[in-house]
Amino acid sequence: MLRPLLAFLVLVLMGVSAPAQAQELQTILQSHADEVAKPGRKSVGVVIDNLIASGLPQVPVFLQNWQGRSVVRDEATGLFYYDKPLRDVDSGAEVDLGDVKLKAVKPNGGVRKVIGAALVQFQLSDPDISRRIDALDAIARSPDADQIGPLEASIDGESDAGVLARKEVLVGMLKARYGATTEDRVAAIEQLDGSLSLDARATLNQILTTKAGVAETVPESVNVARILTPGDDIAKVEAYGRLVDEGFAPARISNAAIKEALAANIEGGSVAGIPVHDLNTLERRLEAYTRLADQGVVPPAVTDERAAEILAQYTFYEAYTETDAAVTTAAETVLASIETSVAVNQTADLALDALSLASIYFLAAIGLAITFGVMGVINMAHGEFIMMGAYTGYVMQQIIPDYTLSLIVALPVAFAVTFGAGVAMERLVIRWLYHRPLETLLATFGISIALQQLAKNIFGTQARPLTSPGWLDGAWAINEVVSISYIRIAIFVLALIFLGLILFILNKTRLGLEVRAVTQNPGMAASMGINPDRINMLTFGLGSGIAGIAGVAIGLYAKVTSEMGADYIVQSFMTVVVGGVGNVWGTLAGASLIGVLQKGIEFLNPSNTLAAQTYMILFIILFIQFRPKGIVALKGRAAEA
Amino acid sequence: MTSVTENMVSQGGGARKSFIAQNPSVLWFLLALALFTLGVTVLSEATGSGVISTSFVKTLGKTLCLCLVAICMDVVWGYCGILSLGHMAFFGIGGYAIGQWLMYARTEIIVTQSLSAAAIPPTDQEVVDAIGTQIFGVVGSSEFPMIWAFSDSLFLQLLMVIAVPGLLALVFGWLAFRSRVTGVYLSILTQAMTLALSLYLFQNDSGLRGNNGLSGLQNIPGFEETSQATLSIVFFWAAALALGLGYVLFAWVTSGKMGSVVRGIRDDEARVRFLGYHVESFKLFVFTITAVVAGIAGALYYPQAGIINPAEIAPIASIYLAVWVAIGGRGRLYGAVIGAAFVSLLSSWFTGGSAPDINLGFYVVKWTDWWLVLLGFSFVAVTLFAPKGIGGLFDLIMIKRTPDRQGDYGPSEGAKRAEEGSVDVEDVK
Amino acid sequence: MSTLLEMSGVSVSFDGFKAINNLSFQIGEPEMRAIIGPNGAGKTTFMDIITGKTRPDEGRVIFGEKSISLLKMSESHIARAGIGRKFQKPTVFEAQTVRENLAMALKNPRGPFDVLLYRKSAKGGARIEEIASEVGLTEHLTRPAGELSHGQKQWLEIGMLLAQEPRLLLVDEPAAGMTPSEREHTTDLLVRLAEKHAVVVVEHDMEFVRRLNCKVTVLHEGSVLAEGSLDHVTNNKDVIDVYLGR
């Protein structure tokens, strides 16, 4: 009795103002000592009520320990402690009682459940919001009828709007499944309409769980979901199998079993009078088996006709495990309505995906479009410039440990590196081949394989990570269905910035004017005093530089390997060709079309991205048939080629 | 052949020469090929002294097939100006077509053998099911897809070797040429076709065993007792024969008036059109016939290689083909042969690990790592400094005023620059 | 003289610029016609429309006794129907010999298999020799066309036009880059051709046109400004305005 006394003294000395708090948990426990030590399912309620009524902050901790079977009682004093290590129930401080006999308090399963329900109530009103969310998660994970009460009770005191909404939804879901009356449940189900959450759909699906059944006539008591017609809704073999499982029909003998039976009954080179070498057709085998069956050696086989007859006698159905038809009907209606809005939102999600894919293609292709459009040069090494940009990003991260800073540094450095590489390539190789675009294609391809192998030699074959800074982690979730990761948003913004930048350079600057002049008529431009050599060099550098920046962006969400460029090069060409050469808007249109198309095909055939790419390429080949000059075609004499 | 030659000779006139006289390289080539074939036969394990190992005979036989497909590439690119990045796909299709029969027939023999040990003889369906399980087990299936419908017939599959590449080329070519897609655009489009095909074959449900491809093709059904050494020399001869015939065929196609029109299309398509030739038909003819021969080359190659998978069809393979032809020298058939033989043999020497490493003191150059870098840059160098390729050396040796090589190095028309500017960059300077 | 080619109400515009504006034109067989006009009058586009290179936005172009419309036909089809064209800038196949150039143009079946199985005949050879001597290239038959001088290329192109044996010949500035004696030869050749064929000559050189001694059509801003004898049109007030710039 020393501790409580001391504690009391401390409290008095501190001049505690609120007398209610002077009450101690141990005191309450002592007043119900027997019930606490040997709780029974019925008696425990009073104890818990009293504990909760005390409003002591230590109560939830105690309940937890109680439920967790870590409360012990000093047999001599009758005081309760927490075990391992031995602690005081009030202060939580470790105590050393010396050599005393302790008896563990072991509430049984039923009691612990009651304690658990009481605990949920505490957690649901816990001042720490994360604890409240944890509690809600726990309920959503293993929903139970008992949780309705505490959950409803906690709604009133809820201060956070988000948590409040979630609680209300959760109550609805619980009521839908465990509500007392049909009306309650139907009302709760109808409340769920409009919710996009997976939990809501899971709840409804739970209610709508079906079980396969078969009977000669469907019993009235069964809440039938649908009747299955053998051959249409269910394979005949499977239907018959069910009859066999239910004991309604004899098992059929498989071809393999027939073969085995025949093999077991070979007598002197023949089976039931049929020579073994004759048994290489199913008909002859069946004939032999029938003869064996007639002799009574083997059980008779069920013929196809007989099987069909039996099948016709029975009705196959799926029945709801939920017997209340009103509930299932309501659930079906609501589920259908939810699924419609889920589909709408999925489309929106798909559109966002397509948009982000389109911005990646745009970034990857715009550099190519510029060089192709202005110079009529196909740069097969464009993909390798993307790779160089990504590796630059990786190297920057090795030098600068701060991801945000390294990213900010990497973008201009990647631009500079690939700009330099592009200018070098233009000066050393491409300008000698302006008359022969096919040879440019091949020469740049030579550079592409060399660069790829060089990267492999320097960085190795395994993928290098380009880690995005923390603030780009995660996703922006608009609702439960529609969400988009921040990286993709960042890439979208980057694509927008580049679209604006390139439009600005081409339309508002002297360089742009000269570039456009060279694009439209190189000879005329030259006679106007524009140096096409310089323009070509700068254009090529610009196109390559953008590839480098695209590389950093792509590296953030895909792996950086020496082969990553090859993954984008064909798509980039497609983007340029589909969009129409020599036009920024064309590239944008091409990228959008290809992005939307690829996502669309992937959605229709989600298991098979390879097939999606195949179909997309086929579509593009056909598209070129109808618009050989791309979506945004140059018109007039200039475009006639 | 002879009647044509006679007819040409009979016309008389100094300028009119016989086919052989017009194409002296045909005779020289056939002679060289015959000597080479005999030489390898004499030195091989099966029929000669065994100086050349069976695996090297196979390598040489495969190289001959590559030379044949390189000739196809040269005709379509060097002569007709279509830089096709799809001819290795036709080559692969030929390989798949013959591979289907090889694999089916061989599995059928194995399955029949193993089933014949059973007490009850198998039904036809059981045999087919067992073959299906054997072949498609790797992709978790046992059903025969539609694409294997003819695989039990050698004749039909041989027909497929010709028909599938031919039809694909015909349909694709018709679509591409009729919409007047030319130059770089066309190259990209053929590359896309190749990519689509290889991606399709990479799927398990394409019915051709996905990325596992077809394997065990070196075992020829019905010739289980024959040693690989003998088979290798038989295929070597077959490849040499095919190469010889292919060379003569394309020499014939690219000579005379056909050659004239085809090269005319390469140099100035529009002008040929105004002369009344339906350019698209000619292109389609050249594209299709080369695709068919490429398919045949593939059908001879893969039984020697033993395995085919979709990676063999990927666009990169077709680009390498273009590299070989460019290094060998476009616009002359023997240039393509030399390029394919030289680069592919050199490539297997370097990547096979037989090339000695170079120790620079601070770094050891391992050729397995650096060969591609060397190839890439030397290819750029060839394009820049020796556009005639290795074949150009023959002009130097012969010191002829008119080189064998007929025409320029390829079409000089840009993707779109050609007509719009009308003033070339060089004119501007 | 029956009408061989008739264009009516043809218009074509590039990016809003009307290159040909409601043009109507007729030529009979045989007939010689010279077309003159300042730069940008639409002479080249006019030829492009007839040969199928450019599709007009509206109008009709019909050819021959059967009045077939040229608008739906491809370039090669039109050429086979009997319309030959000589380009302003000589376009010959420079990598091929003069003989090969002429052989390609020779009137023969044009299908790929016809060409593949084509056998050189004595008749064809003789025809090539004949044309070569007409255009003065007999000595150069085995030379690559790329080695020829500019004038010789012009002749080769005219030779190719002859070899095609077209019913309608469209000749764009045939005399450019030729010596006076060559011009005379060209004039003779064209006049002789016009005895049996329809010949349209586009030319800037008035002296040359005068020597052709034929009906002249003046194009201006994509339509016919005047038509008649050279003297008639040169006295026309509109024509004078256009040429002298008012």
Side-chain angles (χ1 to χ4, degrees):
Chain A
M1 288 303 275
L2 193 67
R3 273 194 60 84
L5 271 174
L6 273 173
F8 185 67
L9 274 172
V10 170
L11 282 170
V12 169
L13 285 171
M14 284 171 75
V16 173
S17 52
Q21 282 184 358
Q23 196 180 12
E24 282 204 353
L25 178 59
Q26 189 69 267
T27 326
I28 306 169
L29 293 179
Q30 288 309 317
S31 60
H32 300 282
D34 287 344
E35 287 90 339
V36 174
K38 278 202 170 102
R41 215 184 147 163
K42 286 189 183 138
S43 57
V44 77
V46 189
V47 186
I48 291 174
D49 285 348
N50 274 337
L51 282 170
I52 292 171
S54 75
L56 286 174
Q58 306 95 305
V59 169
V61 184
F62 175 77
L63 287 177
Q64 250 168 13
N65 280 290
W66 200 16
Q67 188 195 27
R69 293 185 174 178
S70 52
V71 172
V72 290
R73 189 175 190 198
D74 185 337
E75 285 202 338
T77 57
L79 290 178
F80 293 98
Y81 298 95
Y82 300 143
D83 201 7
K84 283 171 197 163
L86 210 58
R87 278 159 298 151
D88 185 82
V89 287
D90 278 299
S91 64
E94 283 185 39
V95 287
D96 185 10
L97 296 177
D99 189 23
V100 289
K101 220 173 166 197
L102 296 173
K103 191 169 187 289
V105 177
K106 286 185 177 169
N108 65 29
V111 174
R112 286 165 68 197
K113 210 169 162 189
V114 178
I115 301 172
L119 254 176
V120 163
Q121 189 184 342
F122 280 103
Q123 283 164 352
L124 285 172
S125 340
D126 197 286
D128 182 357
I129 188 162
S130 64
R131 295 280 293 275
R132 299 208 293 278
I133 290 170
D134 285 349
L136 289 175
D137 285 342
I139 293 175
R141 255 198 313 278
S142 50
D144 197 325
D146 298 346
Q147 292 152 341
I148 299 176
L151 195 56
E152 266 187 313
S154 77
I155 284 178
D156 277 344
E158 183 54 56
S159 53
D160 184 88
V163 178
L164 180 68
R166 201 155 162 228
K167 279 182 176 173
E168 279 166 348
V169 170
L170 209 49
V171 168
M173 286 191 273
L174 289 175
K175 277 188 174 168
R177 280 184 70 179
Y178 305 109
T181 63
T182 305
E183 288 74 27
D184 275 0
R185 297 184 61 187
V186 171
I189 287 168
E190 277 161 3
Q191 283 286 318
L192 287 177
D193 199 353
S195 164
L196 290 174
S197 73
L198 272 176
D199 291 342
R201 273 175 283 162
T203 306
L204 291 172
N205 279 320
Q206 207 87 48
I207 296 170
L208 293 173
T209 314
T210 57
K211 207 174 136 234
V214 58
E216 282 190 70
T217 47
V218 182
E220 299 247 333
S221 61
V222 172
N223 183 6
V224 176
R226 62 187 191 129
I227 303 286
L228 304 172
T229 319
D232 293 338
D233 308 317
I234 178 172
K236 282 190 176 169
V237 178
E238 198 196 332
Y240 194 88
R242 278 200 203 164
L243 290 178
V244 175
D245 291 344
E246 297 280 334
F248 294 155
R252 297 200 67 179
I253 296 179
S254 68
N255 289 334
I258 289 180
K259 195 174 167 185
E260 248 170 58
L262 294 181
N265 286 290
I266 298 175
E267 281 170 22
S270 63
V271 177
I274 299 177
V276 166
H277 61 80
D278 252 17
L279 295 173
N280 59 355
T281 63
L282 284 179
E283 291 75 33
R284 295 292 279 170
R285 284 187 189 172
L286 201 60
E287 195 184 328
Y289 188 88
T290 317
R291 286 194 201 174
L292 286 178
D294 290 345
Q295 291 167 15
V297 184
V298 291
V302 180
T303 60
D304 288 348
E305 295 78 32
R306 178 70 192 132
E309 252 171 57
I310 298 173
L311 217 50
Q313 287 171 13
Y314 290 92
T315 309
F316 295 86
Y317 59 86
E318 275 174 7
Y320 292 117
T321 42
E322 171 64 57
T323 46
D324 194 334
V327 171
T328 54
T329 315
E332 283 214 321
T333 326
V334 171
L335 190 61
S337 131
I338 287 181
E339 263 160 12
T340 316
S341 55
V342 166
V344 170
N345 280 284
Q346 267 174 347
T347 315
D349 190 49
L350 203 66
L352 276 182
D353 269 5
L355 197 66
S356 76
L357 194 66
S359 35
I360 288 159
Y361 286 157
F362 176 78
L363 273 179
I366 184 67
L368 199 68
I370 291 173
T371 50
F372 194 17
V374 175
M375 300 157 75
V377 159
I378 273 279
N379 178 14
M380 292 288 273
H382 187 80
E384 276 56 50
F385 287 160
I386 292 179
M387 168 197 80
M388 277 168 81
Y391 272 121
T392 309
Y394 167 73
V395 170
M396 283 300 125
Q397 286 200 342
Q398 305 308 302
I399 300 169
I400 304 168
D402 183 80
Y403 289 149
T404 309
L405 191 63
S406 71
L407 188 65
I408 292 168
V409 175
L411 286 172
V413 171
F415 183 86
V417 166
T418 47
F419 182 92
V423 167
M425 192 164 120
E426 202 274 339
R427 289 285 91 185
L428 293 174
V429 179
I430 289 170
R431 73 164 161 152
W432 307 106
L433 297 170
Y434 276 135
H435 289 288
R436 303 198 285 268
L438 291 185
E439 294 191 15
T440 316
L441 192 150
L442 287 176
T444 52
F445 167 72
I447 295 170
S448 144
I449 46 176
L451 285 179
Q452 222 178 82
Q453 186 62 42
L454 268 175
K456 216 173 269 176
N457 293 351
I458 296 169
F459 294 100
T461 42
Q462 91 250 46
R464 300 286 171 179
L466 186 55
T467 320
S468 58
W471 49 271
L472 277 179
D473 285 342
W476 177 45
I478 297 161
N479 60 35
E480 304 249 354
V481 181
V482 188
S483 73
I484 180 165
S485 68
Y486 288 126
I487 290 184
R488 283 170 176 258
I489 295 176
I491 289 173
F492 178 68
V493 171
L494 200 63
L496 275 186
I497 291 172
F498 270 89
L499 175 65
L501 206 63
I502 287 160
L503 283 175
F504 175 77
I505 291 177
L506 284 182
N507 295 331
K508 301 278 178 207
T509 63
R510 174 79 197 167
L511 176 68
L513 184 71
E514 294 183 0
V515 165
R516 276 181 297 144
V518 172
T519 310
Q520 280 160 20
N521 192 330
M524 195 63 190
S527 63
M528 305 281 284
I530 296 168
N531 180 359
D533 260 13
R534 197 185 122 253
I535 294 299
N536 283 339
M537 191 178 81
L538 285 179
T539 315
F540 207 86
L542 183 69
S544 310
I546 294 170
I549 288 182
V552 176
I554 290 169
L556 281 178
Y557 86 102
K559 288 205 173 81
V560 183
T561 67
S562 61
E563 277 150 15
M564 68 181 287
D567 298 341
Y568 287 92
I569 191 74
V570 177
Q571 259 85 351
S572 303
F573 283 142
M574 294 290 134
T575 304
V576 174
V577 171
V578 166
V581 173
N583 190 313
V584 178
W585 295 111
T587 310
L588 188 65
S592 313
L593 181 73
I594 291 183
V596 168
L597 208 64
Q598 182 160 345
K599 279 292 157 193
I601 298 172
E602 268 174 26
F603 176 74
L604 294 177
N605 188 0
S607 62
N608 208 331
T609 49
L610 284 177
Q613 290 192 38
T614 312
Y615 294 133
M616 193 186 71
I617 294 168
L618 289 182
F619 171 84
I620 289 167
I621 291 174
L622 286 177
F623 177 85
I624 304 270
Q625 297 304 309
F626 300 103
R627 281 203 82 108
K629 306 224 178 284
I631 301 171
V632 183
L634 292 177
K635 281 191 206 124
R637 268 183 155 168
E640 270 185 44
Chain B
M1 209 66 240
T2 48
S3 68
V4 176
T5 320
E6 269 167 20
N7 188 291
M8 285 173 171
V9 173
S10 68
Q11 296 163 13
R16 294 191 204 109
K17 298 179 203 162
S18 71
F19 171 62
I20 297 293
Q22 270 188 332
N23 300 277
S25 77
V26 174
L27 217 55
W28 286 112
F29 178 79
L30 291 180
L31 195 67
L33 183 64
L35 284 176
F36 175 67
T37 312
L38 279 178
V40 171
T41 312
V42 168
L43 297 176
S44 77
E45 281 179 27
T47 49
S49 59
V51 174
I52 300 179
S53 70
T54 298
S55 74
F56 194 62
V57 170
K58 282 190 177 182
T59 306
L60 291 176
K62 285 191 287 182
T63 307
L64 291 181
C65 298
L66 295 177
C67 292
L68 182 55
V69 72
I71 288 180
C72 297
M73 183 68 187
D74 194 16
V75 170
V76 91
W77 178 30
Y79 285 86
C80 199
I82 304 166
L83 175 52
S84 160
L85 297 179
H87 269 63
M88 271 323 238
F90 300 129
F91 183 83
I93 293 174
Y96 264 103
I98 198 68
Q100 282 183 305
W101 177 76
L102 286 170
M103 208 165 173
Y104 182 93
R106 169 142 172 88
T107 315
E108 185 178 31
I109 290 170
I110 295 169
V111 162
T112 317
Q113 256 169 13
S114 76
L115 285 182
S116 66
I120 308 282
T123 62
D124 292 348
Q125 191 56 45
E126 277 172 348
V127 173
V128 171
D129 286 349
I131 298 172
T133 314
Q134 277 286 320
I135 295 181
F136 301 110
V138 283
V139 289
S141 164
S142 63
E143 299 273 311
F144 268 95
M146 280 294 288
I147 207 165
W148 287 73
F150 305 130
S151 57
D152 55 339
S153 156
L154 174 59
F155 173 73
L156 287 176
Q157 281 304 136
L158 284 177
L159 202 65
M160 302 273 270
V161 167
I162 296 169
V164 179
L167 282 177
L168 182 61
L170 201 66
V171 171
F172 179 84
W174 184 75
L175 286 173
F177 300 143
R178 76 174 255 288
S179 53
R180 300 256 171 111
V181 178
T182 55
V184 184
Y185 267 88
L186 188 58
S187 302
I188 299 301
L189 212 56
T190 53
Q191 191 188 18
M193 176 200 78
T194 312
L195 183 67
L197 190 70
S198 71
L199 287 177
Y200 177 74
L201 287 175
F202 263 118
Q203 302 167 53
N204 282 347
D205 46 8
S206 68
L208 289 167
R209 310 209 325 159
N211 61 352
N212 305 288
L214 308 181
S215 53
L217 310 184
Q218 73 277 19
N219 305 305
I220 311 302
F223 294 91
E224 287 77 7
E225 304 305 314
T226 318
S227 72
Q228 283 293 319
T230 313
L231 282 177
S232 71
I233 204 76
V234 169
F235 270 100
F236 178 77
W237 281 336
L241 184 69
L243 178 59
L245 288 176
Y247 196 93
V248 173
L249 170 74
F250 286 120
W252 178 58
V253 167
T254 56
S255 67
K257 195 166 174 184
M258 187 68 176
S260 205
V261 173
V262 166
R263 279 175 285 132
I265 290 172
R266 172 192 68 193
D267 295 335
D268 192 343
E269 190 176 313
R271 186 70 182 92
V272 177
R273 214 171 264 138
F274 285 121
L275 282 178
Y277 292 96
H278 193 245
V279 168
E280 289 69 39
S281 306
F282 282 82
K283 283 187 175 176
L284 197 55
F285 172 78
V286 170
F287 193 67
T288 308
I289 192 172
T290 52
V292 167
V293 176
I296 294 171
L300 283 168
Y301 179 94
Y302 286 102
Q304 303 181 68
I307 182 164
I308 180 170
N309 61 51
E312 309 262 322
I313 284 176
I316 189 88
S318 295
I319 298 178
Y320 277 125
L321 182 62
V323 171
W324 298 342
V325 174
I327 289 183
R330 272 161 292 161
R332 55 178 116 210
L333 298 180
Y334 62 85
V337 172
I338 292 169
F342 178 70
V343 184
S344 71
L345 287 176
L346 203 63
S347 180
S348 52
W349 186 64
F350 272 122
T351 52
S354 4
D357 295 344
I358 298 174
N359 196 335
L360 297 176
F362 58 95
Y363 185 81
V364 179
V365 176
K366 286 202 183 76
W367 281 117
T368 40
D369 287 344
W370 287 91
W371 158 243
L372 278 179
V373 180
L374 178 72
L375 178 70
F377 285 131
S378 49
F379 180 53
V380 176
V382 165
T383 324
L384 284 178
F385 304 115
K388 289 177 178 180
I390 301 172
L393 292 175
F394 283 77
D395 294 343
L396 290 177
I397 295 166
M398 312 274 227
I399 322 177
K400 289 204 301 189
R401 200 175 63 85
T402 48
D404 277 2
R405 189 182 185 289
Q406 292 158 315
D408 202 1
Y409 318 120
S412 61
E413 305 294 305
K416 61 183 275 291
R417 280 167 78 87
E419 304 230 352
E420 68 201 16
S422 78
V423 182
D424 290 325
V425 177
E426 209 150 81
D427 299 343
V428 164
K429 283 178 190 161
Chain C
M1 187 177 93
S2 60
T3 302
L4 182 65
L5 177 86
E6 183 183 333
M7 287 172 96
S8 50
V10 172
S11 296
V12 64
S13 57
F14 302 116
D15 271 344
F17 166 70
K18 282 229 167 189
I20 296 288
N21 190 5
N22 196 21
L23 177 76
S24 295
F25 177 85
Q26 273 189 5
I27 187 166
E29 187 187 33
E31 190 191 343
M32 165 87 82
R33 178 75 60 89
I35 293 184
I36 59 173
N39 280 332
K43 289 171 305 204
T44 304
T45 311
F46 164 77
M47 288 202 169
D48 283 349
I49 289 172
I50 297 175
T51 52
K53 194 182 171 198
T54 300
R55 304 271 168 220
D57 302 330
E58 54 187 283
R60 281 192 318 151
V61 183
I62 52 176
F63 180 73
E65 290 77 25
K66 289 176 189 156
S67 293
I68 41 172
S69 169
L70 295 181
L71 297 184
K72 294 237 168 72
M73 288 158 71
S74 67
E75 292 103 308
S76 60
H77 197 171
I78 291 173
R80 284 198 300 278
I83 297 178
R85 179 174 182 182
K86 186 214 151 292
F87 290 82
Q88 185 177 343
K89 191 179 155 198
T91 40
V92 294
F93 300 101
E94 308 214 340
Q96 305 195 30
T97 63
V98 171
R99 175 185 292 282
E100 281 171 320
N101 268 289
L102 289 173
M104 225 193 290
L106 218 54
K107 186 180 170 119
N108 270 311
R110 297 288 207 231
F113 292 99
D114 299 316
V115 171
L116 186 64
L117 302 174
Y118 170 75
R119 294 170 180 194
K120 287 178 184 166
S121 65
K123 204 179 134 209
R127 178 88 183 112
I128 290 178
E129 301 283 346
E130 190 190 319
I131 293 167
S133 78
E134 173 80 66
V135 296
L137 290 172
T138 313
E139 252 115 85
H140 306 287
L141 275 176
T142 54
R143 285 179 69 194
E147 294 178 3
L148 300 179
S149 70
H150 183 79
Q152 283 171 321
K153 282 182 192 167
Q154 287 274 42
W155 279 117
L156 176 56
E157 185 144 354
I158 293 172
M160 287 166 77
L161 190 61
L162 295 179
Q164 265 182 279
E165 296 175 27
R167 296 180 64 188
L168 170 65
L169 292 82
L170 303 171
V171 192
D172 203 349
E173 302 201 16
M178 285 186 173
T179 61
S181 65
E182 281 179 326
R183 278 164 184 254
E184 209 161 308
H185 186 134
T186 313
T187 325
D188 292 348
L189 186 64
L190 290 174
V191 170
R192 240 183 308 134
L193 282 169
E195 284 164 14
K196 284 186 203 149
H197 306 285
V199 180
V200 176
V201 182
V202 170
E203 188 53 79
H204 278 300
D205 185 339
M206 287 301 165
E207 268 317 297
F208 189 87
V209 174
R210 185 171 299 282
R211 243 182 278 143
L212 290 176
N213 190 25
C214 64
K215 194 171 169 187
V216 174
T217 301
V218 185
L219 285 188
H220 177 60
E221 291 179 351
S223 45
V224 175
L225 190 65
E227 211 165 49
S229 73
L230 186 62
D231 290 330
H232 171 78
V233 297
T234 44
N235 288 326
N236 183 307
K237 193 177 170 296
D238 292 341
V239 176
I240 294 169
D241 282 349
V242 166
Y243 268 88
L244 298 180
R246 248 170 259 258

